[in-house]
Amino acid sequence: MKTASPPTAASVFVVDDDPSIREALSSLIRSVKLRVETFSSAQEFLRHDRPNTPACLILDIRLPGLDGLQLQQQLIRDGLHLPIIFITGHGDIPMSVRAMKAGAVEFLTKPFRERQLLRAIEQAIERDREGLAQRKEMAELLARYDSLTPREQQVMGLVVKGLLNKQIAAELGTAEITVKIQRGRVMKKMQADSLPGLVRMAERLESGGRRGPQFQHPAG
């Protein structure tokens, strides 16, 4: 599933092999002014482009071929962050627990109330809106970090550990004035207005999986 040009409104995707269910859900979702697209199978959905705007997926558990839980796992493996609302006429407790543990927003058993579904859609879209914003911020942070030279990345790693310019120069075997210049470049490229701000950026980079020599403790 690829990323396409963003539409103007939030989107709801419906995957259900029952045409009558798809039509009913489509009408309900359109009644609250949301975009909706329907699919009869997981495979058809996976071939579709995902808009780069808030969205959620209403997914039937029992589908031909790839079932709902398998599709959920496939999306996780592909790194596609899309809040899921499961609907089923054949649910059981172990199945719902598995779905919720994997990050589903809701697990509704047919027949369900329209209000229940609309509330779940609202929660799912808000979750995706927040997730998109966070991923955008992280992508921008990574881009700034990747703009640093390898030596500037080393300097940043030592700066956020609290080392003074003189200590960093000794650690790297360079002149203190050189470190001062590189430190200034780091602050400018990272768009950090203070040392605490740079430290917070480094923490976000590390929590996001960006680990390397620059975040290791200096050799003692």
Side-chain angles (χ1 to χ4, degrees):
M1 195 175 183
K2 308 169 187 176
T3 299
S5 299
T8 56
S11 299
V12 180
F13 303 113
V14 176
V15 181
D16 196 302
D17 61 336
D18 186 333
S20 63
I21 295 293
R22 293 200 302 271
E23 180 58 35
L25 292 178
S26 181
S27 297
L28 174 63
I29 294 163
R30 286 197 177 97
S31 74
V32 292
K33 310 302 181 185
L34 291 172
R35 293 181 71 257
V36 59
E37 296 182 63
T38 63
F39 308 88
S40 61
S41 69
Q43 290 84 351
E44 182 185 2
F45 172 71
L46 287 170
R47 290 192 296 269
H48 187 268
D49 292 338
R50 180 196 163 164
N52 191 25
T53 52
C56 71
L57 172 61
I58 299 175
L59 180 59
D60 192 11
I61 284 285
R62 298 187 184 276
L63 294 167
L66 205 66
D67 68 27
L69 291 174
Q70 290 171 329
L71 175 57
Q72 181 186 36
Q73 292 303 312
Q74 182 65 54
L75 294 175
I76 292 171
R77 286 193 296 271
D78 291 345
L80 295 171
H81 307 275
L82 189 62
I84 298 175
I85 301 163
F86 279 102
I87 58 174
T88 181
H90 312 279
D92 55 34
I93 292 177
M95 189 180 292
S96 63
V97 169
R98 180 181 166 191
M100 299 300 284
K101 280 187 174 181
V105 174
E106 186 59 274
F107 192 98
L108 301 175
T109 302
K110 303 172 187 175
F112 46 80
R113 295 179 180 175
E114 291 183 352
R115 185 177 299 177
Q116 281 182 292
L117 179 61
L118 292 176
R119 185 166 56 245
I121 290 172
E122 182 180 359
Q123 293 171 349
I125 288 176
E126 181 57 30
R127 178 190 292 187
D128 199 45
R129 181 177 288 112
E130 292 173 359
L132 283 170
Q134 291 170 0
R135 290 191 291 277
K136 180 181 178 183
E137 289 175 5
M138 178 57 78
E140 292 171 351
L141 183 59
L142 285 169
R144 295 201 297 270
Y145 180 75
D146 287 339
S147 74
L148 301 179
T149 65
R151 176 48 63 93
E152 288 167 352
Q153 290 178 359
Q154 286 181 307
V155 169
M156 176 177 167
L158 296 171
V159 166
V160 299
K161 292 182 187 302
L163 273 67
L164 302 174
N165 289 351
K166 182 185 297 185
Q167 295 169 312
I168 295 172
E171 178 70 30
L172 299 179
T174 189
E176 185 177 348
I177 185 62
T178 302
V179 171
K180 183 178 180 180
I181 293 170
Q182 291 167 337
R183 181 172 183 153
R185 289 173 180 165
V186 167
M187 298 295 286
K188 182 177 180 180
K189 290 182 179 180
M190 293 301 297
Q191 300 176 23
D193 55 9
S194 66
L195 177 57
L198 189 67
V199 170
R200 287 192 292 272
M201 292 178 187
E203 289 172 346
R204 287 196 64 195
L205 286 165
E206 192 163 9
S207 67
R210 178 55 64 95
R211 299 176 184 273
Q214 64 277 11
F215 290 130
Q216 302 298 320
H217 290 286

